[in-house]
Amino acid sequence: MAEMEIREEAVESIYQRLKREADSGGYHLNPDIDFTKDLIRGLLTNEARYGYWSCPCRIASGGKDEDLDIICPCDYRDPDLTDFGACYCALYVSRAIARGEKVAQSIPERRPPPEKRKPQKEAEHSANAPESATELPYPVWRCKVCGYLCARDDPPEVCPICKVPKERFERFM
């Protein structure tokens, strides 16, 4: 395969955009700018290959439906940030790592292996709609400050709307 040319202007533009979005959403990009820009080059390479930003640290199938969970920001970013202080590829890091108060560690892969992903997705699609709130697949968390709602195992580290820490969330349903 011919090497793809990634323009440095595009890398810088994406870096600035991701930094603005991360800052406004209560997230932090990895403070190692060279490392972060290498990851952006990987995202742009994957976009040229597949048409979407699959995580540069994972092997994409090339089928968008199969790779939805690893399109940046991936489904595993927030749980990885909560548990390890960085996402799998370390594009996003916790405040402590961004400030140099903590060192990033290796992150175990949360993505199920291919043989388990397909049955899992089929089960999710074939499941009937829940009949009541008690049958929801995930608890719903509410930010007590701004009312932001999200359905996931745990509340986010930082509210993406008003930036309060997860301690300000309550289980809503």
Side-chain angles (χ1 to χ4, degrees), residues 155-168:
E157 283 297 309
V158 176
C159 177
I161 305 301
C162 68
K163 317 295 186 264
V164 297
K166 73 178 183 181
E167 292 77 24
R168 303 296 302 273

Side-chain angles (χ1 to χ4, degrees), residues 76-144:
Y76 314 103
R77 176 188 67 178
D78 288 352
D80 283 348
L81 283 170
T82 299
D83 294 345
F84 303 103
C87 67
Y88 187 69
C89 67
L91 177 62
Y92 293 95
V93 298
S94 68
R95 179 180 305 161
I97 291 175
R99 290 181 176 174
E101 300 165 358
K102 184 178 174 188
V103 176
Q105 57 183 318
S106 66
I107 311 296
E109 174 63 280
R110 289 182 188 268
R111 190 177 199 212
E115 65 275 8
K116 290 188 177 179
R117 281 196 305 267
K118 190 171 183 179
Q120 185 177 359
K121 285 187 178 185
E122 289 171 356
E124 289 170 5
H125 287 118
S126 66
N128 293 329
E131 294 181 19
S132 72
T134 59
E135 296 179 11
L136 293 174
Y138 296 101
V140 177
W141 299 92
R142 183 174 75 97
C143 174
K144 292 188 282 187

